[in-house]
Amino acid sequence: EDSQYYIEDVRKNIIERLSYEKVYKQGYNINTPINLSLQKIATDSLRNGLIAYDQRKGWRGPISNIIYSKSWSKNIDKKYLLENSINWKIAIVKKIKQFSANIELEKNIEGIIRYKDISWTKKEFKDLLKVNDLVYVKKMDNQFYSLQQLPKINGGLVVIDPFTGRILAMSGGFSFKNSEFNRVSQAFRQPGSAFKPFVYALALENQYTPSSL
């Protein structure tokens, strides 16, 4: 799951070069320089960074609010399902107390969200959730879960061997299931500091020195 962006990018490039017919009907074996250990590190690092940044912006609200039934988990829209490697589950809020909330996960598993596990929202439970809200949660220990939300911001990360140019790992976003758009290879990059050499070169040509810049 962690390498979906990498695999899909390779697949698209190969089809573009060789055609769909050759790739899928002539038995090609494609070797890539992907390093699965680095791929997992890259994916986890990107996700953790996006979550940390997003949580600093506060709570935006639940996934949805539904009418409760015993089969509620079977009727969840598939667009809300994420990769297993993210380790998040979808839960429904059953009861709200002052310092905790009772939730139910799929297969009628009961859980509790503690006050300390919503601290990043800077809100009280009564202002945060309602009964029958659908939310993302992450298991902490035993029956305790922390409240999560899908980051509004997204990003990409690529690991390249500087000596060979081989791409060892690539993560094009928080979740491939949520968005297949690859922010490494498909997004238009902002220039950032790439323009600085041109500015500095022009300054040096006009008798400026490093100490005067």
Side-chain angles (χ1 to χ4, degrees), residues 10 13-14 22 25 39-40 49 51 77 84 87 96 101 106 119 154 159 174 177 190 194 197 203-204 213:
V10 170
N13 275 281
I14 294 299
K22 287 185 177 180
K25 294 185 178 181
Q39 181 62 57
K40 177 171 176 50
I51 290 170
D77 194 321
N84 292 329
N87 292 321
I96 299 173
E106 59 182 346
S119 59
N154 223 316
V159 180
F174 183 81
K177 283 187 176 181
Q190 293 183 349
L204 293 171
L213 292 176

Side-chain angles (χ1 to χ4, degrees), residues 2 27 33 70 106 194:
D2 291 336
K70 290 184 179 180
E106 59 182 346

Side-chain angles (χ1 to χ4, degrees), residues 97-187:
K97 303 176 184 178
Q98 184 176 2
F99 297 112
S100 66
N102 293 65
I103 57 173
E104 181 182 303
L105 292 81
E106 59 182 346
K107 299 180 180 178
N108 303 115
I109 298 172
E110 300 289 333
I112 297 172
I113 300 176
R114 297 170 294 188
Y115 190 77
K116 70 176 184 177
D117 293 322
I118 64 163
S119 59
W120 62 269
T121 68
K122 297 179 176 62
K123 291 187 177 183
E124 302 295 325
F125 272 107
K126 63 183 178 65
D127 302 319
L128 195 68
L129 301 170
K130 296 179 182 177
V131 174
N132 293 338
D133 275 351
L134 288 183
V135 294
Y136 289 113
V137 295
K138 181 178 180 179
K139 188 169 185 176
M140 304 303 289
D141 55 75
N142 298 321
Q143 79 273 37
F144 299 115
Y145 293 79
S146 64
L147 184 65
Q148 304 291 332
Q149 72 178 356
L150 192 67
K152 189 175 182 180
I153 189 173
N154 223 316
L157 187 154
V158 60
V159 180
I160 301 175
D161 186 327
F163 300 103
T164 63
R166 290 181 174 181
I167 297 177
L168 305 178
M170 175 195 294
S171 184
F174 183 81
S175 166
F176 187 79
K177 283 187 176 181
N178 179 256
S179 170
E180 294 185 11
F181 182 76
N182 191 328
R183 291 154 189 86
V184 171
S185 60
Q186 293 177 291

Side-chain angles (χ1 to χ4, degrees), residues 13-29:
N13 275 281
I14 294 299
I15 288 176
E16 187 176 326
R17 293 182 185 185
L18 302 179
S19 81
Y20 182 91
E21 295 292 323
K22 287 185 177 180
V23 172
Y24 282 95
K25 294 185 178 181
Q26 294 186 15
Y28 277 86
N29 289 321

Side-chain angles (χ1 to χ4, degrees), residues 1 4 7-8 14-15 32 41 44-45 50 56 71-72 78 97 99 114 146-147 156 170 197:
E1 286 186 326
Q4 283 299 307
I7 293 170
E8 180 62 14
I14 294 299
I15 288 176
T32 72
I41 293 171
D44 290 345
S45 297
L50 293 173
R56 290 197 295 271
S71 60
W72 67 269
K78 291 184 178 180
K97 303 176 184 178
F99 297 112
R114 297 170 294 188
S146 64
L147 184 65
M170 175 195 294

